[in-house]
Amino acid sequence: MSDYLIGDIQGCFDALQALLKTIKFSSDKDQLFFLGDVVNRGKKSLATLRFIKDLKGNASIVLGNHDFHLLACSLGSKKPNKKDTFMDIINANDADSLLGFLRNQPLMIKHKNVLMIHAGVPPNWDADRLLQQSKQVQKHLQGTNISQFLDNMYDNKPNIWSTGLTELEQCRYTINALMRLRFCKANGELEFSHKMNYTYPPKGFQAWFMHKNRLLKNTDIFFGHWSSLSGVNQTHIYPMDRGCIWHGRLSAIRLKDKKVFSVSC
């Protein structure tokens, strides 16, 4: 039995099928973990989400910013933008079931002593804080006031973590960190404007995984989101978004030996 962790699919269903063929995926013995952004931008978001949902116990997902955006546009008052390609899901006859499936997915997964998230982890968070905040957001996503909750999550503030924040403010910071983070300060101050490689940080900031005193620096962390990353040689850090939607590659990493498998997109 093997565990495979897969980077951002973003509705590229054909690439996913090619990748599963490459790794010789078997539902009898293998487990798939998707590192967020399984939908949007690609042409086959509906087919992708249906396929993953139908894998049942063979698949686990951490929510990415595009998955969250789908929920906000379908269950909240957020309007899709011109680049969004998930209307096939919203208009599907099984939309309620598919959206319900997404609502039940976490923002982080701990499996065999490794952590999986979509974007990043604030340097001043340990595993307990990460799990606690993920569960707090998931509670609201599964709650009866999800529309109001989603509408309150679209803001860049607060951009600094504090236990003195209100619960909704804590959720907003958590969502922004785990789904959007690239650069930050050592105190967890988030920055959202820069999307270049980690070697070009904005003044006063570093890539979240480059802070020397990061609390989780000895824990293997697998993530997606940052397709422009290249040349990362940081111990315990495994970026898996290889820019499939940008004509790059879709990649999976086998957990037991860290071997990477890729297909062209």
Side-chain angles (χ1 to χ4, degrees), residues 29-87:
K29 61 180 182 179
D30 298 327
Q31 181 78 16
L32 303 178
F33 295 88
F34 297 95
L35 300 173
D37 282 3
V38 298
V39 302
N40 208 18
R41 296 295 189 263
K43 297 179 179 180
K44 297 183 178 181
S45 289
L46 177 58
T48 302
L49 187 56
R50 277 179 176 163
F51 176 78
I52 294 173
K53 178 178 178 291
D54 289 343
L55 286 171
K56 301 185 185 299
N58 288 103
S60 300
I61 300 176
V62 294
L63 289 177
N65 53 299
H66 283 284
D67 312 314
F68 187 84
H69 184 55
L70 166 60
L71 291 175
C73 290
S74 54
L75 301 175
S77 62
K78 191 74 175 176
K79 302 298 182 183
N81 60 57
K82 293 181 180 180
K83 295 182 179 180
D84 291 333
T85 61
F86 48 52
M87 291 306 297

Side-chain angles (χ1 to χ4, degrees), residues 65 68 78 150-161 165 168-184 188-195 205 225:
N65 53 299
F68 187 84
K78 191 74 175 176
L150 292 168
D151 288 347
N152 275 284
M153 291 301 106
Y154 275 75
D155 199 302
N156 289 340
K157 301 291 185 178
N159 64 341
I160 299 180
W161 169 255
L165 298 174
L168 285 181
E169 287 173 335
Q170 288 188 15
C171 287
R172 195 182 305 126
Y173 178 93
T174 300
I175 288 169
N176 283 335
L178 272 60
M179 295 186 191
R180 300 174 60 202
L181 176 59
R182 292 184 179 91
F183 296 102
C184 64
E189 181 179 342
L190 309 178
E191 197 278 343
F192 301 112
S193 298
H194 291 74
K195 300 181 180 181
F205 292 82
H225 185 61

